[in-house]
Amino acid sequence: DAGITQSPRHKVTETGTPVTLRCHQTENHRYMYWYRQDPGHGLRLIHYSYGVKDTDKGEVSDGYSVSRSKTEDFLLTLESATSSQTSVYFCAIGPRRDTHTGELFFGEGSRLTVL
Amino acid sequence: QKEVEQNSGPLSVPEGAIASLNCTYSDRGSQSFFWYRQYSGKSPELIMSIYSNGDKEDGRFTAQLNKASQYVSLLIRDSQPSDSATYLCAVRVSGGGADGLTFGKGTHLIIQP
């Protein structure tokens, strides 16, 4: 178990409302990631963080923002949700601080439905 | 644009046979290669990693890497119904690991009892 908790696990919201997903890790990993997974597209990187207050954009960052005020928490915010953001969102951590082997470990996922 | 290609399947294999899953990648700078297993409705689970050309074996799983051909494969021996899942191939280009992995869309594997 990689010690990653995502919340909420399921959320239904309406178009135009703000949504924040939380990823909490207990492993003290430096790197954290947000991916979304959609049928026909696979897993795509939204944003990632390489330290407290250090974040960068991924492949599909438009419409999303992130924040990391402490090592254990990485927040993903949809400022104004749209139906195209209906997806399953996965948080991941890695690589391990000591070995830098590159593997990622995933949380359980957050299923978001935007009506 | 970094791309990772997999046949989406479904790939149907009889129980006890060898399942062979393939993956190609476009970026020659790719350094690390991973196979994830994902059951329906669950999160991806790392099952194999490989970093140098050749074969790497772990139990019933063997990962094969050919950097010259930009090709990665996963063999599952003595396939079991519990191996039925979607298998994701993932690659990492940068040495520092900051920008994560690029994933293929996955191959859906069905093991028929």
Side-chain angles (χ1 to χ4, degrees):
Chain A
D1 191 352
I4 310 169
T5 304
Q6 291 185 228
S7 59
R9 296 289 313 281
H10 301 273
K11 186 173 182 65
V12 179
T13 191
E14 294 187 350
T15 298
T17 60
V19 176
T20 295
L21 305 179
R22 180 185 183 232
C23 179
H24 178 78
Q25 58 129 336
T26 59
E27 303 288 317
N28 200 33
H29 281 253
R30 175 181 176 186
Y31 303 97
M32 298 184 74
Y33 305 82
W34 277 107
Y35 282 84
R36 61 177 288 175
Q37 188 173 38
D38 305 287
H41 290 278
L43 280 160
R44 293 179 291 173
L45 182 64
I46 305 171
H47 280 280
Y48 63 96
S49 169
Y50 45 95
V52 173
K53 297 185 179 180
D54 291 324
T55 65
D56 207 343
K57 297 179 180 180
E59 178 189 1
V60 290
S61 59
D62 287 348
Y64 302 95
S65 62
V66 290
S67 65
R68 193 167 178 201
S69 59
K70 46 186 178 178
T71 299
E72 57 266 36
D73 288 327
F74 191 31
L75 304 181
L76 177 70
T77 297
L78 293 66
E79 300 290 349
S80 178
T82 67
S83 58
S84 65
Q85 294 175 311
T86 293
S87 186
V88 180
Y89 292 86
F90 287 102
C91 176
I93 60 175
R96 298 192 69 81
R97 183 189 299 272
D98 52 347
T99 56
H100 294 276
T101 51
E103 69 271 22
L104 300 185
F105 299 95
F106 285 85
E108 307 136 311
S110 296
R111 182 175 295 275
L112 175 66
T113 302
V114 183
L115 302 176
Chain B
Q1 177 98 11
K2 295 176 277 188
E3 292 184 347
V4 178
E5 299 288 342
Q6 297 180 255
N7 188 321
S8 61
L11 174 64
S12 185
V13 174
E15 183 176 357
I18 296 176
S20 178
L21 304 165
N22 304 315
C23 171
T24 59
Y25 59 95
S26 63
D27 195 323
R28 287 195 173 273
S30 298
Q31 298 287 328
S32 309
F33 307 85
F34 306 91
W35 283 99
Y36 286 80
R37 178 177 62 200
Q38 186 174 26
Y39 294 114
S40 180
K42 301 297 185 181
S43 60
E45 173 193 10
L46 180 66
I47 56 171
M48 287 291 289
S49 58
I50 187 166
Y51 307 100
S52 55
N53 281 329
D55 295 359
K56 178 182 178 182
E57 185 174 320
D58 184 1
R60 295 187 297 112
F61 298 98
T62 299
Q64 300 175 317
L65 174 60
N66 184 326
K67 288 186 176 180
S69 300
Q70 296 176 239
Y71 179 90
V72 192
S73 65
L74 178 70
L75 302 178
I76 306 174
R77 290 182 300 281
D78 188 23
S79 296
Q80 302 297 310
S82 60
D83 294 326
S84 298
T86 296
Y87 289 81
L88 307 175
C89 174
V91 305
R92 180 169 74 104
V93 177
S94 69
D99 54 351
L101 302 178
T102 299
F103 286 82
K105 296 177 182 179
T107 297
H108 182 41
L109 175 65
I110 300 171
I111 306 300
Q112 293 187 328

